[in-house]
Amino acid sequence: MEIGNELGDYLRARRAAVAPADVGLPDDGPRRVPGLRRDEVALLAGMSTDYYIRLEQGRERHPSEQVLRAIAGALRLDDAATAHLFRLALSVVGMVAAPTAVAPELLRLMDGMRDVPAFVVGAAQDVLAANAMARELYCGFARYDNLLRMIFLDPFAREFYADWDHAARIAVGNLRASSSQFPRDERIERVVGELSVRSPAFTGLWARYEVRPRTHEDKHFRHPGVGEIRLHFEALAVTSAPGQHLSVYSAEPGSASADALILLGRLSEREATLANQTHPAEDGEFRS
């Protein structure tokens, strides 16, 4: 994770993402760097340019909540991004580590969802558990273990996601949100470290400091077995295990994607049958 002046890094990244026209300022032509200038942020936030510069450079360490809210408004930060700003500026301590064990009750609930893909994701975007439909949906990946690693390190991702750029941006923003909630989580640090070394695409997106917790969206996949499929995604927070989410996909009733989802279920049943024939369960062993 970042060290040093993390607040300054965050402010620089966020003002670079705001165009003058976005905040009602005149566009005076090409700029040396993208986004707003420091004096423009200070003007919009109602503070002196010198004070804002000292804050961004790390020479001012005690901004008030009023100042932070003014900066959040100037930079057009949403609720999640504003919460991240407050954590950085006020040294709000987040939870040390996110739990990775999935409760048996949650596993039973997930496995009972036999008609839709469902899986449990941890704070570092590790796939902690998945039902048969989810495993079949992601069957083209070499490893179904961590959504970030799959998107950035597995070549199949660019075939699977119809809009890979969007999927990558959303995934990184979601990890940023987790890192804000769990700023000292070692697993998140390892994922960020590995991807920063191995994926320039990840490094570029991570440097944008977009904090975007993902709760729902429509997704467009290209599955090797069922073809084009459009699914709605919902991430349900597991209140008993902070950082964990039960992710569930569904299709519009009567649509071609609903038919594809039925076919996906048949493929998952076939795979389960073949697996049981190859590796028969011992007496008393549970077979999903």
Side-chain angles (χ1 to χ4, degrees):
M1 310 287 278
E2 295 84 349
I3 58 175
N5 183 20
E6 190 175 357
L7 174 61
D9 293 340
Y10 184 58
L11 291 174
R12 282 189 291 273
R14 298 322 306 148
R15 69 177 171 87
V18 181
D22 295 338
V23 292
L25 293 176
D27 187 351
D28 52 5
R31 297 184 170 214
R32 185 173 58 85
V33 294
L36 299 177
R37 300 186 182 99
R38 290 168 171 170
D39 62 319
E40 291 171 332
V41 176
L43 174 66
L44 293 167
M47 63 187 65
S48 72
T49 300
D50 178 68
Y51 181 85
Y52 178 78
I53 290 175
R54 286 189 286 114
L55 188 64
E56 194 171 284
Q57 291 178 342
R59 294 186 289 119
E60 169 55 55
R61 299 286 184 175
H62 304 288
S64 67
E65 292 189 14
Q66 182 180 3
V67 164
L68 294 176
R69 293 200 182 280
I71 292 174
L75 296 177
R76 298 298 191 264
L77 302 184
D78 60 18
D79 290 345
T82 299
H84 187 67
L85 173 66
F86 270 68
R87 183 189 70 77
L88 295 177
L90 302 180
S91 298
V92 177
V93 178
M95 286 171 275
V96 175
T100 57
V102 181
E105 297 81 4
L106 183 57
L107 291 174
R108 288 198 296 269
L109 174 64
M110 180 192 66
D111 286 335
M113 298 177 177
R114 299 187 181 277
D115 297 327
V116 293
F119 53 102
V120 179
V121 177
Q125 298 303 287
D126 291 315
V127 179
L128 304 178
N131 68 2
M133 285 276 282
R135 292 193 295 272
E136 185 61 35
L137 178 63
Y138 290 95
C139 69
F141 289 89
R143 294 163 57 185
Y144 182 33
D145 57 354
N146 179 281
L147 297 178
L148 270 298
R149 292 188 74 264
M150 292 160 62
I151 289 173
F152 288 97
L153 301 183
D154 193 321
F156 176 71
R158 293 187 180 267
E159 302 175 33
F160 180 68
Y161 293 99
D163 188 344
W164 183 90
D165 290 333
H166 175 76
R169 181 178 178 183
I170 292 297
V172 172
N174 201 39
L175 187 64
R176 270 288 182 195
S178 292
S179 72
S180 180
Q181 185 180 6
F182 302 96
R184 292 174 289 175
D185 186 279
E186 292 184 0
R187 176 58 186 158
I188 295 178
E189 291 182 355
R190 288 198 298 270
V191 170
V192 172
E194 178 186 9
L195 293 175
S196 296
V197 170
R198 300 181 61 187
S199 173
F202 172 84
T203 303
L205 288 172
W206 187 250
R208 295 174 65 167
Y209 283 80
E210 292 184 341
V211 181
R212 297 181 181 275
R214 177 183 54 184
T215 58
H216 63 275
E217 72 173 314
D218 294 322
K219 291 179 173 288
H220 183 188
F221 301 128
R222 300 190 186 100
H223 188 272
V226 304
E228 302 271 340
I229 183 168
R230 299 175 183 271
L231 300 174
H232 181 72
F233 166 86
E234 288 285 342
L236 310 175
V238 181
T239 56
S240 60
Q244 290 186 14
H245 289 81
L246 174 62
S247 301
V248 183
Y249 289 114
S250 62
E252 182 70 25
S255 66
S257 292
D259 294 337
L261 202 57
I262 293 173
L263 177 56
L264 189 75
R266 292 172 180 166
L267 291 175
S268 69
E269 291 173 358
R270 186 183 67 180
E271 289 299 318
T273 300
L274 291 174
N276 288 335
Q277 290 174 348
T278 305
H279 303 288
E282 300 292 338
D283 291 342
E285 182 181 348
F286 175 75
R287 251 194 306 212
S288 60

